[in-house]
Amino acid sequence: MSPKKLLAKDSVGKGKKATITVEVKKEIIAKHERGVRVVDLVREYGRSSSTICTILKRKEQFKTLEVANGVTKVNKKCPQILEEVEKLLLVWMNERKTPGASSEEEEIFKASRRWFEKFRKRSGIHSVVRHGEAASSDKAAAEKFVPEFQEFVAGKEFLPQQVFNCDKTGLFWKKMTKRTYITQEEQSLPGHKPMKDRLTLVLCANASGDCKVKPLLVYHSENPRVFKACKVYKARLNVMWRSNKKSWVTRIFFTEWINDVFGPSVRKYLEEKQLPLKALLVLDNAPAHPPQMRDELYPENQFITIKFLPPNTTPLLQPMDQKVIANFKKLYMKALLERCVDVTDNTGLTLKEFWKNHFNILGALRLIYKAWEGVTRRTLNSAWRNLWPEGVPERVFEGFGPALASAPVEDPEVHLVDDIVALGQTLGLELDAADVQELVEEHSEELTTEELLELQEINQEEAQEFSSGEEEIGEDAAAS
């Protein structure tokens, strides 16, 4: 990672250098203590020797500071509790993507304008939507970005086959709707923890809809018992399997997926289609997607261009959020209920016995693969209509024009929900369309304050590990 990439970009006036963040100052101190000379630090960071020496003289002060990423100034009178608030606020703003919530339903963060403006400058935040302006400002930012994106794609001559988007989503792989007797019985058990059955997926496809990339899956167990019993070779799974205790997609996991799965898959696809070797990956501003991600690509993956959506526009512009993920989850529910019907019809097992003793994560992986394969090219392609209408063929818009307004248009989503409800009723479950929608929405629960803090710590640790790894590689190269 280039140290210069970590400098805060809030300089004023032409030629004025960016302010050095606290994290970079601590990095400079750490390198000096490992034996790096001042003259080498001057050359590496592009700063004067007096600036570097001043930082080193105050090293004891900087080494004890714990601040949010991007902070350049620290108020000596700032209590520890406020420092923790700043760290959590940065993570919360990156994670906050819930569409459609009204102001009455949200928990409101309150702060004085003066404090918030100082926090914004210290942390390098350039675009923040204030409470009460979310709907209009988000829409305005999205409307401004769309022509910019279209101009960028046209200028680089990207084709729909070469433009990709990915997004993460939670999945309660072993969960039914609240009103079913199985769920009610599970919730009555002591120590019931529904989060334990949650996994996180990263789903990715291109704008033409004919290239789906192997998903990244993060689970709380590295080697589930069923993997050992069935001698599962994880490298051969239809997902890239990773694990941590919270089933979170971290920076390291996402970078590994980009380099080891996305890059090779897209390269192979473009070569088979005899298309130019270049690709665009559109991302949101999640914590696992650092702005300097381009620097972390392997040399063989440098054909990938990464472009970030503006803050607070994800619900409006992110293609995967335009019914793709929701469609995938409904297809998973349908595949799950079909499996239950098949078992109860063709074995001596009851639904309760199958659910409790025989349905495991390996079975869920098969259903995930089936559901992802079931997401149609039309669904994937039409998801780009908000961000890149030119990338969507006219046939996708059939039924939406004025001339066809009077013609009945069949909605495949409605049929899918009807199928799920019918399967549930076949199993004797209390289930309707509202239950299906409720379960789909439950997969995207927000993180708690404690989880936000833990995720922030994990991302900081991974960033430090990556930086240290780069230094070791550089030292080895220099020695050789």
Side-chain angles (χ1 to χ4, degrees):
M1 180 190 308
S2 173
K4 295 181 182 179
K5 295 288 184 179
L6 292 173
L7 301 180
K9 299 177 181 178
D10 58 354
S11 56
V12 180
K14 186 176 181 180
K16 185 173 180 180
K17 293 185 177 180
T19 307
I20 305 178
T21 64
V22 173
E23 56 187 318
V24 173
K25 292 176 182 177
K26 293 169 74 173
E27 181 181 301
I28 290 171
I29 293 166
K31 289 184 177 181
H32 185 260
E33 290 182 341
R34 290 198 296 270
V36 179
R37 299 178 303 170
V38 172
V39 65
D40 294 326
L41 292 171
V42 168
R43 186 181 306 109
E44 181 178 359
Y45 289 88
R47 297 289 171 160
S48 66
S49 58
S50 61
T51 299
I52 298 297
C53 289
T54 299
I55 293 173
L56 296 176
K57 287 178 182 178
R58 299 175 60 192
K59 66 179 182 179
E60 295 304 324
Q61 175 186 349
F62 288 122
K63 286 167 66 176
T64 58
L65 291 177
E66 293 292 338
V67 297
N69 286 347
V71 171
T72 60
K73 299 178 182 179
V74 179
N75 186 343
K76 295 180 180 179
K77 297 181 181 180
C78 181
Q80 179 67 26
I81 185 65
L82 288 184
E83 293 180 4
E84 295 298 325
V85 168
E86 290 189 0
K87 288 191 286 185
L88 286 173
L89 184 57
L90 280 172
V91 180
W92 179 81
M93 285 190 293
N94 281 325
E95 280 288 304
R96 182 75 170 171
K97 307 193 304 180
T98 304
S102 67
S103 58
E104 289 79 15
E105 295 171 340
E106 295 181 342
E107 291 185 9
I108 303 172
F109 174 80
K110 296 181 180 180
S112 69
R113 179 180 294 273
R114 181 179 179 184
W115 177 89
F116 190 79
E117 285 302 312
K118 289 183 177 181
F119 164 73
R120 184 184 64 81
K121 292 177 181 178
R122 289 198 303 275
S123 58
I125 297 173
H126 300 289
S127 178
V128 176
V129 178
R130 293 189 298 272
H131 178 73
E133 299 176 339
S136 60
S137 296
D138 287 358
K139 186 176 180 181
E143 290 175 348
K144 179 181 178 182
F145 180 74
V146 168
E148 294 176 0
F149 179 80
Q150 294 174 355
E151 183 179 354
F152 174 82
V153 172
K156 298 292 184 179
E157 297 183 339
F158 282 114
L159 301 172
Q161 292 92 333
Q162 299 167 317
V163 182
F164 291 77
N165 173 241
C166 71
D167 194 20
K168 70 178 186 301
T169 184
L171 182 71
F172 289 96
W173 63 272
K174 194 174 184 179
K175 186 174 183 179
M176 288 192 178
T177 57
K178 293 179 179 178
R179 294 195 297 153
T180 61
Y181 68 86
I182 289 180
T183 300
Q184 292 171 351
E185 182 178 284
E186 284 182 342
Q187 291 177 340
S188 67
L189 297 174
H192 174 65
K193 296 181 180 180
M195 280 295 290
K196 189 173 182 180
D197 294 327
R198 186 180 189 270
L199 55 83
T200 305
L201 286 166
V202 171
L203 300 177
C204 179
N206 63 356
S208 59
D210 64 336
C211 181
K212 298 173 186 173
V213 182
K214 177 192 289 190
L216 166 64
L217 185 150
V218 186
Y219 192 50
H220 65 82
S221 173
E222 173 66 21
N223 292 294
R225 185 179 303 173
V226 66
F227 280 19
K228 300 174 184 177
C230 298
K231 298 181 180 180
V232 172
Y233 185 43
K234 286 182 288 187
R236 295 180 181 174
L237 291 174
N238 292 314
V239 298
M240 181 182 190
W241 183 276
R242 292 294 182 268
S243 67
N244 58 41
K245 63 181 180 179
K246 295 291 186 178
S247 303
W248 287 337
V249 175
T250 63
R251 170 195 177 121
I252 285 182
F253 290 168
F254 188 75
T255 303
E256 289 176 342
W257 177 80
I258 288 285
N259 280 313
D260 298 334
V261 176
F262 179 81
S265 298
V266 173
R267 175 185 288 273
K268 180 180 179 182
Y269 164 79
L270 295 176
E271 290 175 348
E272 290 176 350
K273 294 290 184 179
Q274 297 183 341
L275 294 171
L277 186 59
K278 61 179 182 178
L280 174 63
L281 178 59
V282 180
L283 298 175
D284 59 24
N285 292 275
H289 309 158
Q292 65 276 13
M293 176 161 287
R294 171 80 181 179
D295 298 337
E296 300 179 16
L297 295 178
Y298 294 163
E300 61 267 30
N301 290 333
Q302 291 299 316
F303 69 92
I304 301 169
T305 299
I306 295 176
K307 192 167 185 63
F308 289 91
L309 295 169
N312 308 302
T313 62
T314 297
L316 298 172
L317 299 180
Q318 175 113 286
M320 283 292 156
D321 282 355
Q322 311 307 313
K323 294 188 177 181
V324 174
I325 289 177
N327 182 253
F328 161 78
K329 291 176 179 176
K330 290 172 184 175
L331 287 167
Y332 176 85
M333 293 172 63
K334 180 181 177 181
L336 174 56
L337 293 178
E338 286 176 337
R339 176 60 179 153
C340 291
V341 170
D342 180 60
V343 168
T344 55
D345 284 350
N346 298 297
T347 72
L349 295 174
T350 65
L351 174 60
K352 182 177 177 180
E353 290 170 338
F354 168 67
W355 195 258
K356 184 177 180 180
N357 301 320
H358 298 278
F359 182 53
N360 50 48
I361 187 65
L362 187 57
L365 286 177
R366 298 188 185 101
L367 301 182
I368 287 171
Y369 175 73
K370 182 178 181 180
W372 183 227
E373 285 294 298
V375 177
T376 66
R377 182 171 178 175
R378 180 189 178 101
T379 298
L380 292 168
N381 185 227
S382 62
W384 289 80
R385 73 179 67 183
N386 291 351
L387 178 60
W388 190 23
E390 286 79 2
V392 182
E394 291 185 6
R395 61 179 177 80
V396 175
F397 290 99
E398 290 178 2
F400 293 93
L404 299 175
S406 60
V409 179
E410 291 189 355
D411 186 351
E413 287 285 316
V414 174
H415 289 296
L416 181 55
V417 172
D418 290 343
D419 290 344
I420 294 171
V421 172
L423 287 166
Q425 293 173 349
T426 299
L427 292 164
L429 302 176
E430 190 174 356
L431 193 65
D432 59 25
D435 294 321
V436 174
Q437 185 60 35
E438 181 182 31
L439 186 54
V440 169
E441 293 173 355
E442 283 180 356
H443 290 297
S444 302
E445 293 179 351
E446 291 189 10
L447 300 180
T448 65
T449 299
E450 292 76 15
E451 289 171 334
L452 283 169
L453 182 56
E454 188 172 345
L455 180 56
Q456 170 73 355
E457 292 173 351
I458 290 173
N459 286 327
Q460 288 177 339
E461 289 173 1
E462 290 187 346
Q464 292 171 359
E465 289 174 3
F466 179 83
S467 180
S468 300
E470 268 202 341
E471 291 164 12
E472 292 175 2
I473 293 173
E475 292 170 0
D476 292 342
S480 60

